[in-house]
Amino acid sequence: MNNLILMIILGSIISLSGTTLGGIVGVMVKNPSRRTLGTLIGFSGGLMLSIVVFDLIPESLQDWGVTNTIICCIMGIVLVTLVDNYLQMNKVDKHIKMALITAIGLMIHNFPEGIIMGCGFATGGSLGIKMSLLIAIHDIPEGIAVAAPLMASRVKALKILTYTIATAVPTVIGTFIGAYIGKVSTDALGISLSFASGIMLYVVCGEMIPESSKLWDGVASTIGVLSGVIFGLILIRLL
């Protein structure tokens, strides 16, 4: 049991490193221009769109069926619409709002990832470590997606890293749960994946891509979005 706990802690640290690295990449550019911010937010949006459309939704369809996936996806969109309206009424900075909504979607998505990783440890240590590495690589662009809008609001680097790492905490929690239940509930995974997909679709289509064009109304923001989509496809294929 002690060895299992140590392996879980090691795996959690590895998985957290991916989100942290993404946040570091997001804050590396000092005093970014509007063109740079537009391109970076566009890239993050395209990347998230690619992962949702070609990874999360297909996995949910396979595990949970078309009807349930669509219903939960719509529920995610409705929830984030209510959150968006609330933040607008309270006049929250648009970039901070974008980062907050993105973080909510990622935290919901990261929880089942942690469960999967925990189940890997329960069935065999090497499988758990492998899952940790894959999740770490997968979470790098997620860290960038949270950091980019905060950069646009000139939030301090330390705060950006703190907020970014916080989105990965559900992965750690899910890891411990998965290690002890030893199996993954198809329903729980389907709900989490499709619900998070709805939230991310809203953020990408309603916030990130439009904001990318506002920051820089030129080719750079469009190239950023398309590059994100293509990079997402490559990432999905490799993992």
Side-chain angles (χ1 to χ4, degrees), residues 4-25:
L4 177 60
I5 293 175
L6 289 174
M7 292 296 286
I8 291 173
I9 293 174
L10 176 60
S12 299
I13 293 173
I14 293 173
S15 63
L16 284 172
S17 67
T19 308
T20 304
L21 180 58
I24 292 173
V25 171

Side-chain angles (χ1 to χ4, degrees), residues 146-216:
V146 175
L150 293 175
M151 286 172 56
S153 290
R154 310 298 178 181
V155 176
K156 292 183 179 179
L158 183 59
K159 286 187 176 181
I160 292 177
L161 290 176
T162 301
Y163 298 149
T164 302
I165 294 172
T167 64
V169 171
T171 304
V172 179
I173 297 173
T175 302
F176 279 91
I177 294 175
Y180 285 100
I181 64 175
K183 59 181 179 179
V184 181
S185 167
T186 301
D187 288 342
L189 286 174
I191 291 172
S192 298
L193 290 172
S194 53
F195 198 79
S197 295
I199 293 175
M200 292 184 191
L201 283 175
Y202 181 95
V203 174
V204 171
C205 298
E207 301 282 348
M208 301 189 83
I209 294 179
E211 182 61 21
S212 173
S213 297
K214 287 180 183 178
L215 284 168
W216 187 258

Side-chain angles (χ1 to χ4, degrees), residues 41-69:
I41 291 177
F43 178 82
S44 301
L47 186 58
M48 286 180 63
L49 181 63
S50 185
I51 290 174
V52 169
V53 174
F54 300 115
D55 189 9
L56 301 189
I57 290 180
E59 186 173 344
S60 179
L61 288 172
Q62 181 178 350
D63 293 339
W64 215 41
V66 177
T67 303
N68 291 331
T69 297

Side-chain angles (χ1 to χ4, degrees), residues 87-107:
L87 294 175
Q88 285 183 7
M89 287 190 296
N90 286 273
K91 297 181 180 179
V92 176
D93 178 272
K94 60 183 178 180
H95 296 124
I96 293 178
K97 179 188 71 174
M98 189 189 310
L100 178 61
I101 296 176
T102 301
I104 291 172
L106 292 176
M107 290 173 80

